[in-house]
Amino acid sequence: MSGFGKVLMTIAVILFALGLLMQFTKIGRLPGDILIKKGNTTFYFPIATSILLSVILSVLLYIIGRFK
């Protein structure tokens, strides 16, 4: 398998694991996330969740970069 294929497979596994994690925790429903329900339409914009994931990923990538 080529290097690009391995990268895509790794990303897919990580996204799958994150999806499972988000189903069993309340990561996607933090205070600060916008949820608007009107009639049969729902608009959800996860601002606080996006900021939290950005900080976590930045710290994780910084730590990984320090060891290279």
Side-chain angles (χ1 to χ4, degrees):
M1 187 181 301
S2 70
F4 185 66
K6 288 181 183 179
V7 170
L8 285 179
M9 293 286 289
T10 305
I11 291 171
V13 168
I14 291 170
L15 287 176
F16 180 76
L18 284 174
L20 280 176
L21 179 69
M22 289 187 73
Q23 280 192 345
F24 298 112
T25 61
K26 294 196 180 239
I27 290 176
R29 296 180 189 93
L30 295 175
D33 292 346
I34 296 173
L35 177 65
I36 300 172
K37 292 182 182 180
K38 288 191 178 183
N40 60 353
T41 303
T42 302
F43 176 74
Y44 179 69
F45 190 67
I47 294 175
T49 302
S50 298
I51 292 171
L52 178 66
L53 288 176
S54 175
V55 168
I56 290 171
L57 285 173
S58 295
V59 169
L60 184 69
L61 291 173
Y62 174 75
I63 291 171
I64 291 171
R66 295 278 291 179
F67 289 113
K68 281 192 169 187

